[in-house]
RNA sequence: UGGGGAGUCGCCAAGCGGUAAGGCAGCGGAUUUUGAUUCCGCCAUACGUAGGUUCGAUCCCUACCUCCCCAGCCA
């Protein structure tokens, strides 16, 4: 976690400016942030932005970041989610130390503060139905009307509120509301609900409570209790800020002289992706994907299984910055980050995923010869391994063209190409099936051109990868692609119609023998193809399954597309 | 036509009255047994629009335009 601090030193954004000012002016003496997810789903790349922001600020300013679950709605929350959230934050590379909290641990205090509000005439028990409450709330352009229960006495409110807690009422019968201003132009200030009755089992407090506090109230108080200095959330909470301040100022919740302040930043929007928790849950529950950790999911567990690294994701978060402007980041930025990270850490291996037989006519049948391939050409210290050369080999179908366009410098009739780490071969003839499809390419090799032999004087423009047919191992390979075909799925129509029918393609490919021992989550660069990871769930000892994380940049594909 | 926000290069994003950082993408070139990587170079007389204040404005003022968020007993 100490890497890139120099590179990060110049990073600035409006939140860092606020912190700098607060620190310089003595408003705060240190930085305490928090990451407050609700345990009702799995974390996704959008949460990573928030995690990197909050934990990154704590790290860079020598403060701390609390991990806190905003678990105020028992019907949506579950320990399955808290476990995975904790695991994902840890995996991303952040550490909350001793500071793991649950808003539900504050229920008793929040309850006390609520009685305090009632005693001060700042909260009342309302007995309107949800529908009636909505009607009286008014609209965006018109003020609301006060509830007939708004004038109940302190004693009556107190008694009713205690009976609510005691479980004497059914769900929805009463609610505790803040007494603020039904005519406020800010709808959040029109006597917001503070507590509601929910006879539901809570993942942590069990059946201790049958009333649960609302987010706005709970969050502000939780921040104050934990002495959070900078409470950073997303833009949609901007007009909740007056309520956040109201809760802190009207309640004896502060344990120190200073109080937390809320700041809002723009949430992440990623093209060709969906980051709505509700929709992600739907994808999982309707089996449109294979679970939360489906490698096509933008969830942290999905990205992990896809082969993304914490470093790559953090690089992405650093790269996109933080501001208040609504913005869309193209997924290619994410993809480029993982390439950049893997480029310097993934060992190189050879695989042929769309095989075409190549026969070397002048190489003796039944023989093979050792060739050596470096584990990473840019890091010779990592050594090399043997790749056998033989008469019959597999090459990538894309690397041969019978009638190539201009600029194609791979194998073609009469042309030469280097078999990487092996010999230069020349295409002399073709085998075809009845339909005219090429079934095998015949070549001759030049014995003087062996890589590393010292006799390889000649150079040719093209170099392709290959695998001796008799030695190649077969592996299941999953070629993943974007889950959606449009930049903003679900905007023009139902997102299900925007799904990419080819987002997952399972094939059987050939790989070199060294791949047999790949351990789950081990990442490789399959030369000239892309980055692949041994699947963490379906790989078996000696029988890894590979997921394509991302392809290599392909300027030839771009060239071809231009025409 | 209520309230709260945002508009700086294709995509992000600095800038806080003194004459437009940086990243990504793109483009050109070099190197290359990955059409990858790496390396060099280029890439906003311009900051939503129109006025105004000022010696000077992306930064201040006025008006307008566009986009986003808010009427859960969700977070």
């Amino acid at each position: 976690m100490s890497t890139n601090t120099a590179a990060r030193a110049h990073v600035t954004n409006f939140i860092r400016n606020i912190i700098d000012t607060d620190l310089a002016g003595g408003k705060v003496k240190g930085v305490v942030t928090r990451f407050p997810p609700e345990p009702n789903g799995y974390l996704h790349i959008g949460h990573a932005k928030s995690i990197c922001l909050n934990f990154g600020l704590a790290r860079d300013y020598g403060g701390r970041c609390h991990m806190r679950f905003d678990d105020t709605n028992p019907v949506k929350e579950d320990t399955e989610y808290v476990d995975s959230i904790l695991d994902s934050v840890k995996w991303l590379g952040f550490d909350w130390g001793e500071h793991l909290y649950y808003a539900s641990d504050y229920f008793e205090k929040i309850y006390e503060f609520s009685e305090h509000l009632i005693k001060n005439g700042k909260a009342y028990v309302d007995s309107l139905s949800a529908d009636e409450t909505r009607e009286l709330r008014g609209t965006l352009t018109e003020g609301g009307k006060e509830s007939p229960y708004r004038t109940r006495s302190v004693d009556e409110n107190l008694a009713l509120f205690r009976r609510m807690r005691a479980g004497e009422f059914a769900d929805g019968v009463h609610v505790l509301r803040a007494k603020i201003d039904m005519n406020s132009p800010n709808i959040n200030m029109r006597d917001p609900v503070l507590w509601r009755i929910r006879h539901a089992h809570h993942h942590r407090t069990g059946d201790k409570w049958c009333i649960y506090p609302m987010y706005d109230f709970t969050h502000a108080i939780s921040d104050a209790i934990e002495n959070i200095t900078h409470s950073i959330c997303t833009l949609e909470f901007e007009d909740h800020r007056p309520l956040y301040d109201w809760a802190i100022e009207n309640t004896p919740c502060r344990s120190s002289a200073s109080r937390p302040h809320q700041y809002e930043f723009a949430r992440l929007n990623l093209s060709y992706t969906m980051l709505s928790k509700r929709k992600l849950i739907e994808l999982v529950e309707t089996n449109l994907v294979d679970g939360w950790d489906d490698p096509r999911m933008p969830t942290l567990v999905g990205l992990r299984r896809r082969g993304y690294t914490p470093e790559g994701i953090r690089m992405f978060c650093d790269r996109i910055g933080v501001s208040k402007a609504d913005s869309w980041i193209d997924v290619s930025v994410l993809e480029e980050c993982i390439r950049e990270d893997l480029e310097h850490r993934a060992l190189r291996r050879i695989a042929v995923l769309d095989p075409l037989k190549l026969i070397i006519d002048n190489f003796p049948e039944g023989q093979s010869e050792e060739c050596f391939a470096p584990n990473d050409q840019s890091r010779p210290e990592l050594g090399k391994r043997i790749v056998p050369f033989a008469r019959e080999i597999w090459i990538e179908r894309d690397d041969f063209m019978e009638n190539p366009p201009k600029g194609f410098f791979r194998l073609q009739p009469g042309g030469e190409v280097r078999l990487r780490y092996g010999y230069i071969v020349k295409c002399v003839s073709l085998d075809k099936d009845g339909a005219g499809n090429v079934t095998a390419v015949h070549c001759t090799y030049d014995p003087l051109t062996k890589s590393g032999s010292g006799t390889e004087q000649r150079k040719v423009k093209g170099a392709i990868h290959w695998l001796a047919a008799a030695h190649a191992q077969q592996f299941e390979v999953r070629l993943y692609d974007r889950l959606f075909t449009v930049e903003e799925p679900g905007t023009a129509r139902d997102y299900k119609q925007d799904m990419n029918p080819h987002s997952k393609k399972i094939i059987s490919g050939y790989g070199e023998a060294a791949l047999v021992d790949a351990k789950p989550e081990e990442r490789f660069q399959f030369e000239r193809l892309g980055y692949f990871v041994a699947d963490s769930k379906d790989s078996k000892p000696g029988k890894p399954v590979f997921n394509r994380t991302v392809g290599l940049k392909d300027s030839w594909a771009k060239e071809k597309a231009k025409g």
Side-chain angles (χ1 to χ4, degrees), chain A residues 421-485:
Chain A
Y421 314 129
Y423 295 90
I424 290 177
V425 294
K426 179 176 188 172
C427 173
V428 294
S429 66
L430 306 176
D431 288 346
K432 293 186 178 181
D433 63 16
N437 302 308
V438 176
T439 54
V441 177
H442 288 267
C443 289
T444 54
Y445 83 113
D446 178 348
L448 288 177
T449 57
K450 186 172 185 184
S451 293
S453 66
T455 59
E456 73 275 40
Q457 314 294 0
R458 302 197 293 128
K459 287 206 181 277
V460 290
K461 179 76 174 158
I464 65 175
H465 60 280
W466 53 277
L467 241 23
H471 301 267
Q473 307 289 314
Q474 273 197 292
F475 297 101
E476 176 176 331
V477 180
R478 298 164 181 174
L479 302 177
Y480 292 108
D481 201 352
R482 296 171 181 177
L483 233 201
F484 297 95
T485 56

Side-chain angles (χ1 to χ4, degrees), chain A residues 275-292:
Chain A
L275 296 180
S276 141
K277 239 196 224 180
R278 203 207 91 229
K279 289 177 184 168
L280 291 179
I281 288 176
E282 204 171 292
L283 282 179
V284 172
E285 288 182 347
T286 57
N287 297 314
L288 257 19
V289 295
D290 308 321
W292 287 100

Side-chain angles (χ1 to χ4, degrees), chain A residues 196-491:
Chain A
R196 77 286 213 189
I197 300 171
R198 281 276 181 289
H199 290 271
H201 188 83
H202 185 279
H203 73 104
R204 294 201 91 230
T205 60
D207 297 313
K208 182 179 179 192
W209 296 85
C210 62
I211 57 174
Y212 293 91
M214 299 288 287
Y215 163 82
D216 287 302
F217 191 49
T218 305
H219 196 82
I221 289 173
S222 302
D223 281 349
I225 288 173
E226 294 176 19
N227 286 312
I228 299 299
T229 56
H230 301 266
S231 181
I232 302 165
C233 60
T234 42
L235 253 27
E236 67 270 28
F237 292 103
E238 209 145 15
D239 44 19
H240 291 229
R241 197 165 65 218
L243 179 51
Y244 179 91
D245 293 336
W246 183 92
I248 289 171
E249 279 155 18
N250 289 286
T251 247
C253 61
R254 291 150 70 177
S255 53
S256 73
S258 59
R259 47 151 292 188
H261 290 274
Q262 175 182 301
Y263 303 97
E264 310 84 11
F265 71 99
R267 68 184 324 138
L268 171 67
N269 291 300
L270 242 204
S271 68
Y272 299 97
T273 309
M274 233 171 39
L275 296 180
S276 141
K277 239 196 224 180
R278 203 207 91 229
K279 289 177 184 168
L280 291 179
I281 288 176
E282 204 171 292
L283 282 179
V284 172
E285 288 182 347
T286 57
N287 297 314
L288 257 19
V289 295
D290 308 321
W292 287 100
D293 64 350
D294 184 305
R296 294 166 295 180
M297 289 283 274
T299 51
L300 264 13
V301 287
L303 290 167
R304 177 179 182 173
R305 198 168 165 201
R306 176 75 170 259
Y308 275 73
T309 57
E311 291 83 353
I313 293 173
R314 280 189 253 130
M315 185 194 302
F316 171 74
C317 292
D318 285 344
R319 191 165 285 184
I320 60 177
V322 175
S323 76
K324 299 193 68 149
D326 292 305
S327 60
W328 279 84
I329 307 291
D330 199 277
V331 257
S332 62
V333 177
L334 213 209
E335 293 167 348
E336 184 50 28
C337 285
I338 191 59
R339 281 193 199 99
E340 240 175 273
D341 184 44
L342 257 22
E343 160 73 22
H344 302 293
R345 57 199 306 191
L347 295 186
R348 263 107 258 225
R349 290 290 182 265
I350 298 169
V352 174
L353 301 184
D354 186 11
L356 171 64
K357 181 68 69 69
L358 186 149
I359 299 161
I360 298 160
D361 293 339
N362 60 340
F363 193 90
E365 261 176 87
Q367 283 190 26
S368 75
E369 184 178 324
E370 289 182 345
C371 290
F372 297 88
N375 287 318
D376 183 341
Q377 209 159 32
S378 65
R379 293 181 295 169
E381 68 276 15
L382 294 180
K384 44 184 64 173
R385 77 282 175 194
I386 295 169
V387 288
F389 185 75
R391 178 183 169 90
E392 292 201 4
I393 65 176
W394 294 116
I395 63 168
E396 212 69 60
R397 192 163 288 274
D398 273 359
D399 288 336
F400 172 81
M401 282 188 93
E402 189 176 5
N403 299 297
K406 193 166 164 285
F408 182 84
F409 52 73
R410 272 114 90 156
L411 196 61
Q412 51 191 291
E416 281 190 317
V417 78
R418 169 167 290 283
L419 294 176
R420 211 157 134 79
Y421 314 129
Y423 295 90
I424 290 177
V425 294
K426 179 176 188 172
C427 173
V428 294
S429 66
L430 306 176
D431 288 346
K432 293 186 178 181
D433 63 16
N437 302 308
V438 176
T439 54
V441 177
H442 288 267
C443 289
T444 54
Y445 83 113
D446 178 348
L448 288 177
T449 57
K450 186 172 185 184
S451 293
S453 66
T455 59
E456 73 275 40
Q457 314 294 0
R458 302 197 293 128
K459 287 206 181 277
V460 290
K461 179 76 174 158
I464 65 175
H465 60 280
W466 53 277
L467 241 23
H471 301 267
Q473 307 289 314
Q474 273 197 292
F475 297 101
E476 176 176 331
V477 180
R478 298 164 181 174
L479 302 177
Y480 292 108
D481 201 352
R482 296 171 181 177
L483 233 201
F484 297 95
T485 56
V486 300
E487 286 192 21
E488 299 181 24
T491 315

Side-chain angles (χ1 to χ4, degrees), chain A residues 150-188:
Chain A
R150 199 176 197 261
T151 52
R152 286 215 257 235
S153 69
V154 168
D155 288 344
E156 189 182 357
N157 281 322
L158 220 40
L160 245 19
F161 188 46
R162 287 172 181 167
R163 290 174 63 198
M164 279 168 65
R165 175 178 184 171
E168 293 185 26
F169 307 111
D171 289 5
V173 172
H174 301 294
V175 85
L176 185 75
R177 285 232 252 173
K179 190 184 286 187
I180 304 180
D181 178 8
M182 286 308 291
N183 276 308
S184 172
N186 180 344
I187 290 178
N188 295 301

